[in-house]
Amino acid sequence: MNFSDFRLDKCSDGLLPVIVQDARTLRVLMLGYMNREAFDKTLSLGLVTFYSRTRKALWTKGETSGNHLRVTEMYPDCDMDTLLIKAIPAGPTCHRGTTACFDTPEEDGFIRSLSSLISQRHAEMPEDSYTTRLFIKGIKKIAQKVGEEAVESAIEAVDGNRDRFIYEAADLMYHYLVMLEQMHVTIPDIERELIKRHS
């Protein structure tokens, strides 16, 4: 993909609109604009770089705050006049200190955020963390917890107790995500399998 591939004649001020999406949670983080230099710098650094229309200068997101956006994937839209970048944020994206510049509900993408946090716990193994203790005990203990929570969820479902079912289902979901991490399986891996079956 080259900057010259885009239809800049359709873009305001000849700048390419860029939507940034969290690669892990899929939450839309922000909108910015790129000129050719910003596009090329994004490709070379692997960090999202914009052209500031107010300062009339390049700025790499996070260059002062440290809250960079590390690029994982880039997709042009069908008309070649907008770019979608999937990125992993290193901290809040918005200058207000919020996760995103759009005030979408916090629960959007929360399960993916939790999965990412569990992966981080696995990498860092912080003391006094229940997740760390599960990883230390290994797959047999994790699988046992998944089985226990699945049975408890099923019992509450059969009893018709919605509130208790939600509580137990949340326990099940958390332990299931821990098991996925232990098995080096991601949510997208599961999604691809389901998509394959659906098609």
Side-chain angles (χ1 to χ4, degrees), residues 1-19:
M1 186 193 324
N2 297 308
F3 191 74
S4 56
D5 294 333
F6 289 97
R7 296 286 310 278
L8 298 180
D9 57 304
K10 299 174 68 178
C11 302
S12 174
D13 300 324
L15 295 174
L16 181 67
V18 179
I19 299 163

Side-chain angles (χ1 to χ4, degrees), residues 151-165:
V151 169
E152 290 171 6
S153 298
I155 289 169
E156 299 301 342
V158 169
D159 288 348
N161 188 339
R162 185 175 183 275
D163 290 342
R164 286 297 305 172
F165 173 75

Side-chain angles (χ1 to χ4, degrees), residues 4 7 29 41 48 64 68 72 86 90 102 111 125 127-128 159 179:
S4 56
R7 296 286 310 278
L29 299 175
K41 191 170 181 182
V48 178
T64 55
H68 295 290
T72 62
K86 289 189 175 185
F102 299 97
I111 288 177
M125 298 293 274
E127 295 181 14
D128 302 323
D159 288 348
M179 186 161 66

Side-chain angles (χ1 to χ4, degrees), residues 66-123:
N67 298 331
H68 295 290
L69 294 167
R70 184 165 55 83
V71 177
T72 62
E73 299 165 89
M74 297 171 65
Y75 300 98
D77 80 332
C78 58
D79 293 322
M80 294 300 290
D81 60 3
T82 306
L83 180 65
L84 171 67
I85 294 181
K86 289 189 175 185
I88 297 176
T93 297
C94 185
H95 68 279
R96 301 170 300 171
T98 55
T99 301
C101 296
F102 299 97
D103 293 326
T104 51
E106 282 298 321
E107 61 266 24
D108 285 4
F110 179 76
I111 288 177
R112 286 175 181 264
S113 291
L114 179 58
S115 177
S116 178
L117 178 61
I118 288 168
S119 180
Q120 183 181 340
R121 290 282 191 271
H122 197 194

Side-chain angles (χ1 to χ4, degrees), residues 132-197:
T132 296
R133 291 197 297 274
L134 283 173
F135 285 129
I136 289 171
K137 290 177 181 175
I139 190 61
K140 287 185 179 179
K141 181 62 176 177
I142 295 168
Q144 178 188 338
K145 289 298 294 180
V146 170
E148 289 172 4
E149 301 302 343
V151 169
E152 290 171 6
S153 298
I155 289 169
E156 299 301 342
V158 169
D159 288 348
N161 188 339
R162 185 175 183 275
D163 290 342
R164 286 297 305 172
F165 173 75
I166 290 173
Y167 182 88
E168 298 297 348
D171 280 349
L172 173 59
M173 180 64 71
Y174 161 75
H175 287 93
Y176 175 68
L177 291 173
V178 172
M179 186 161 66
L180 289 182
E181 170 64 22
Q182 181 69 20
M183 296 301 296
H184 306 290
V185 174
T186 66
I187 291 174
D189 290 332
I190 303 300
E191 288 174 334
R192 281 189 287 272
E193 177 63 25
L194 290 169
I195 289 168
K196 193 163 58 176
R197 296 180 189 186

